[in-house]
Amino acid sequence: MTTQGPRQWGVTPPISMALPTPAELASNDALIDELKKQNNFETAEETRLRTTVLESLQKITLQFVRQVSRKKGHSEAVVNSAGGKIFTYGSYRLGVHGPGSDIDTLVVVPKHVSREDFFDEFPALLTEMAPPGSIEELTPVPDAFVPIIKFEYSGISIDLIFARLAVSQVPITLSLKDKTLLRGVESRDLRSLSGIRDTDEILELVPQQKTFKYALRAIKLWARRRAIYANVYGFPGGVAWAMLVARVCQLYPQATSAVLLSKFFVIMCKWSWPTPVLLKSIEDGPLNARVWNPKIYHGDKYHLMPVITPAYPSMCSTHNINLSTKKIICRELQRAARIVEKIFAKQLEWKDLFTRHTFFVNGYKYYLSVIAASRSKEAQLIWSGLVESKVRLLVQSLEHVESIELAHPYIKGFDRIHRCRNGEEVDKVICGAVQSQENGVATESANLVDDLKAKAVLSESTTTTTTLTPVEAASGNGETKSESQEDPPPQTVYTTTFYIGIEIAQDGTKQLDLSYQTQDFKEVCTGWAQYNPEMNSLNVALTKNYDLPPDVFEPGEIRPVRATKAKRNKKVGSESKKRPLDATDLENPSGPTPKHSKTDHAVQF
C-alpha cells in the first residue's frame, strides 16, 4: 500500500513540516499582542458597521439591476431574475483590514446592464436608498483607467467599480472562480474581476488562513513603517506583499505567524531574483489574453523582482520595481532579518521591527523636490495624481547618471495650501517655498494615485510648458493690478511635493548634470492633453536635508541641521568656481544660496 506524503502547497515541496515549539508559540503570542498595541485590528462595532453597509449595497445593487431592466423593456420575469451581486476585494476580502480602511467593492451585473447605466443610475439610487445623510463625498469617475464611483457610507470609504458578465443572470450564489465566465468580457471588466479572483486564490493556496493573515498584517505594517509599500512608486503593493507571505506559508505549512516572519525575511533576502515567485503553475485559459511569459513577451524579461498573480490571466504584480527600489527593498529585508533574529534571541522586541523609517531624518543629504501646483483644489487632485504616476520614470532616469548610486522615492506626496499676496510669492511657492502656507491648515500626505480621479488621466498625452501663469487682479473698470491702486486679493495655490532621496556613489564625480533628466520628466508630465499652463505648474528643485520643510517630520523626530565649520582665511582668487549643489535654474525658496564645503557636489538642472 502506497503511503501518501504531506500535501504540497505551491510549486515546490515544503521546507519543513515541523510543529511549533513552546518558545515559538510564546513569540507568536507576543507578536499578536504587539499588533494589537499598534492598533492593527478594528473593533467589533466597526466590523458590524461594515457588514451593514455591504448588506445595504447588495440591496441597492439588486434594485439598480431591476430598475435598468424595466427601463429597457424586459419582462417582469427577467427583471426579477436578473440579479446582481456585490463582491469585495483587497485587504477587506483578505481579512487584514484595520481601523479606517476603505472597502474595495465590485458590482457584477448581467449582460444587458451597461457601464453607462451604472454611472447614470447608481449614484442617484444610492443616495435615495441609503439612510438620510449617510452618503458623503459621492464622486463618480467614469473616465478613469478603472472607472469608479467613490463615496463615504456612514463614515466608511467605499471604492465601487463595475464589471459586466456575458450572462443573462447574476445570482447571489455566483462565484467568479469559473474561468469560462470571463468569455466575452471587456478588458476593463476583466481587470476588475481579476482582483477578486486573485484574492480568492491566494486564500485557497495557503495551508492555514489564520496564520497567514496574522503574518500578512505584520508584513504590511512593517512595509508601511519602512516606506516600501506603494506600487505606483516602484515598491510592492498590497497584493504583491500578500503573495510573498503566502509563498512562505506554503514552504512552512505548520509554522506560527512569528516563525513565518523570521523565515520570510531570510528567504526573500536570499531569493534568486529575477526567478519569479509563484503560488501555483501558470495556467492557460479560454481567452486570447496576455499571460506573463518572459519567453514570449520581451518586456517580461526585464521584471526585476517578479511576483506573479495566481488567477488566470496571470500577470506580474511588481512590474514597476526598478533598480533603485530593488536595492532599497533588499536593504530593508536584510535589516528586518537581523532584527527578527535578535527578537527570537530575546535581545529585541517585536515593536523594534515596526519602527518608523528615517527617510527624512537620517536618510539622505540631498533630495529632489518635485512640486506639482494648481490654482484649484479640483485641478490639483488630478494634476498631482498624474505627476505622482510619473515619479518612478524620473527615478529610472536618475539611475542612469553615473555618479548616482540610487534614487529613493518617498511613498507619499505632501499636500499644502498657500495664500500668496502677489506673483512673486506664487513663483516662490511653485519652486518649493512653504512660507506662504496657510496657517491652521495641516499638511496632508496621501498616495494620490490611489484616488481614481487621478487614475482617470494617466493615459493622456500632448506637450506644453511648465509655468503657472500669474493671475492679475482686475479692478471694476477693467484695469489690471498694475493700473489700479487697489491691493490685489490673495491668490490660493495648491501644491503637492514628492521627494526623492539621492544617494551619491562613493567614487562619483563632484559635479552632476541632471538637466536632461529633469527636463525630460517635465515634458512627459506636461505632455498630458489636459495640462493647462494657466492652471498647472511643475518644477523640480534640489533640497538639502537641513532645508526640508518642518511638516515632513513626525513629532519627536530630530531635524537634520547644517554642520558648522571653523572659519578659514582664504587666499584671494582661491574660491571655487564650481556651481553649488542647490544652485539651479529655479529660484531658491529658502533664500540666498549658502556656501558649501569641498565635499559638496555641484548639480545642473
Side-chain angles (χ1 to χ4, degrees):
M1 182 175 177
T2 305
T3 304
Q4 276 191 333
R7 173 181 171 179
Q8 176 174 313
W9 298 85
V11 294
T12 61
I15 294 175
S16 173
M17 293 292 295
L19 293 171
T21 65
E24 290 171 349
L25 290 171
S27 182
N28 194 65
D29 290 341
L31 171 63
I32 295 172
D33 287 343
E34 183 59 36
L35 290 175
K36 292 176 180 177
K37 291 177 184 177
Q38 298 279 350
N39 194 32
N40 204 258
F41 301 90
E42 68 179 7
T43 64
E45 183 180 352
E46 290 172 317
T47 299
R48 286 192 294 269
L49 178 59
R50 289 179 187 272
T51 301
T52 300
V53 166
L54 289 172
E55 289 173 350
S56 174
L57 288 176
Q58 177 59 44
K59 292 177 183 178
I60 295 170
T61 296
L62 290 171
Q63 181 59 27
F64 159 67
V65 174
R66 286 194 291 264
Q67 182 172 297
V68 171
S69 300
R70 285 195 183 95
K71 285 188 175 182
K72 294 190 174 183
H74 291 281
S75 67
E76 201 61 24
V78 171
V79 168
N80 292 327
S81 63
K85 185 174 179 179
I86 283 283
F87 290 87
T88 60
Y89 61 100
S91 62
Y92 183 82
R93 193 172 187 86
L94 284 171
V96 294
H97 59 285
S101 298
D102 60 4
I103 305 180
D104 297 316
T105 317
L106 169 69
V107 170
V108 177
V109 299
K111 60 184 178 181
H112 62 272
V113 180
S114 69
R115 190 178 304 276
E116 290 72 23
D117 295 327
F118 176 61
F119 283 98
D120 290 343
E121 305 279 348
F122 200 95
L125 192 61
L126 174 66
T127 303
E128 177 186 331
M129 292 186 65
S134 61
I135 303 299
E136 297 178 313
E137 300 183 15
L138 181 59
T139 310
V141 192
D143 298 324
F145 181 69
V146 179
I148 190 170
I149 298 176
K150 296 177 68 68
F151 56 95
E152 287 200 0
Y153 192 151
S154 298
I156 297 174
S157 296
I158 305 290
D159 289 348
L160 188 63
I161 59 177
F162 172 92
R164 176 172 62 171
L165 299 178
V167 296
S168 57
Q169 297 177 349
V170 176
I172 194 67
T173 57
L174 178 74
S175 167
L176 297 175
K177 187 175 181 180
D178 185 1
K179 289 186 289 188
T180 62
L181 287 173
L182 304 179
R183 294 183 185 273
V185 170
E186 295 180 5
S187 59
R188 288 186 295 182
D189 297 330
L190 182 61
R191 287 193 293 269
S192 299
L193 294 166
S194 292
I196 290 119
R197 288 168 47 77
D198 286 328
T199 303
D200 288 348
E201 289 233 23
I202 290 170
L203 291 173
E204 291 175 3
L205 290 168
V206 294
Q208 301 181 69
Q209 289 191 14
K210 184 176 181 180
T211 304
F212 161 73
K213 291 176 182 180
Y214 279 132
L216 180 55
R217 282 181 178 274
I219 290 297
K220 285 166 66 77
L221 177 60
W222 164 79
R224 285 196 171 102
R225 291 285 172 83
R226 302 308 299 172
I228 53 172
Y229 186 110
N231 180 59
V232 69
Y233 290 100
F235 295 103
V239 173
W241 286 118
M243 289 187 286
L244 290 171
V245 173
R247 183 66 187 117
V248 177
C249 290
Q250 293 177 335
L251 297 174
Y252 296 89
Q254 307 282 10
T256 65
S257 301
V259 170
L260 288 174
L261 284 192
S262 174
K263 302 300 183 183
F264 176 89
F265 294 120
V266 172
I267 289 173
M268 292 306 156
C269 281
K270 297 180 179 179
W271 194 270
S272 181
W273 304 108
T275 301
V277 174
L278 298 168
L279 297 183
K280 60 183 244 186
S281 298
I282 295 176
E283 296 180 351
D284 292 326
L287 306 179
N288 186 24
R290 174 170 174 165
V291 176
W292 187 83
N293 190 336
K295 295 180 179 179
I296 297 176
Y297 301 109
H298 186 70
D300 292 350
K301 297 178 182 179
Y302 296 99
H303 295 158
L304 301 178
M305 303 178 77
V307 181
I308 310 305
T309 57
Y312 172 84
S314 293
M315 297 173 282
C316 179
S317 65
T318 50
H319 62 277
N320 281 348
I321 290 179
N322 52 53
L323 291 171
S324 288
T325 55
K326 180 186 175 184
K327 287 181 183 178
I328 295 159
I329 294 165
C330 291
R331 288 178 183 177
E332 288 294 340
L333 289 169
Q334 292 164 1
R335 172 188 174 276
R338 293 191 297 269
I339 290 174
V340 174
E341 183 180 7
K342 291 183 179 181
I343 291 172
F344 276 88
K346 307 294 186 182
Q347 297 173 3
L348 292 175
E349 299 179 354
W350 283 112
K351 66 180 181 180
D352 297 307
L353 179 65
F354 305 123
T355 55
R356 178 177 153 86
H357 62 84
T358 57
F359 180 85
F360 295 110
V361 176
N362 190 28
Y364 302 94
K365 187 175 182 180
Y366 308 118
Y367 297 83
L368 288 188
S369 301
V370 179
I371 307 114
S374 300
R375 290 199 176 278
S376 75
K377 184 176 181 180
E378 294 74 18
Q380 179 63 7
L381 179 63
I382 298 175
W383 171 235
S384 60
L386 182 281
V387 173
E388 182 183 45
S389 73
K390 307 299 183 185
V391 167
R392 64 185 176 85
L393 301 181
L394 176 57
V395 170
Q396 291 171 352
S397 182
L398 293 170
E399 290 173 346
H400 296 295
V401 178
E402 186 176 354
S403 296
I404 292 180
E405 179 68 23
L406 63 77
H408 183 172
Y410 188 61
I411 60 171
K412 293 180 179 179
F414 289 81
D415 296 334
R416 302 180 177 106
I417 302 174
H418 310 263
R419 305 296 185 196
C420 303
R421 293 170 295 181
N422 49 50
E424 182 180 352
E425 287 192 359
V426 171
D427 291 340
K428 289 182 178 180
V429 163
I430 65 177
C431 289
V434 296
Q435 288 88 344
S436 301
Q437 187 172 357
E438 184 176 7
N439 292 330
V441 178
T443 300
E444 297 180 0
S445 63
N447 190 325
L448 294 164
V449 94
D450 284 344
D451 193 312
L452 269 293
K453 284 186 178 180
K455 288 183 181 177
V457 303
L458 301 191
S459 60
E460 305 290 346
S461 64
T462 155
T463 301
T464 185
T465 58
T466 63
T467 56
L468 189 67
T469 304
V471 174
E472 297 290 352
S475 64
N477 59 4
E479 294 178 332
T480 64
K481 170 181 172 278
S482 59
E483 299 169 340
S484 171
Q485 299 301 317
E486 296 180 5
D487 291 333
Q491 302 177 31
T492 302
V493 178
Y494 298 83
T495 64
T496 304
T497 304
F498 307 98
Y499 294 95
I500 303 173
I502 302 297
E503 183 175 313
I504 305 296
Q506 291 185 354
D507 58 348
T509 178
K510 292 185 178 180
Q511 188 159 3
L512 301 177
D513 183 357
L514 304 183
S515 56
Y516 171 78
Q517 288 77 16
T518 54
Q519 187 58 37
D520 183 64
F521 172 70
K522 290 180 182 180
E523 290 176 359
V524 168
C525 293
T526 58
W528 170 47
Q530 298 180 47
Y531 177 81
N532 180 354
E534 295 185 357
M535 182 64 67
N536 310 121
S537 171
L538 177 64
N539 273 294
V540 181
L542 193 106
T543 307
K544 297 199 75 172
N545 56 1
Y546 54 75
D547 284 329
L548 287 167
D551 55 15
V552 305
F553 300 96
E554 291 290 316
E557 290 183 337
I558 301 175
R559 295 183 60 186
V561 295
R562 185 181 177 187
T564 57
K565 295 189 177 182
K567 295 182 179 180
R568 294 180 300 173
N569 294 325
K570 293 185 178 181
K571 295 180 180 179
V572 177
S574 65
E575 189 170 348
S576 173
K577 295 183 179 179
K578 289 184 179 180
R579 198 177 189 201
L581 182 59
D582 44 3
T584 72
D585 61 353
L586 304 177
E587 182 173 352
N588 186 342
S590 302
T593 301
K595 296 179 181 179
H596 298 274
S597 69
K598 291 183 179 180
T599 58
D600 283 346
H601 296 73
V603 64
Q604 181 178 350
F605 280 80

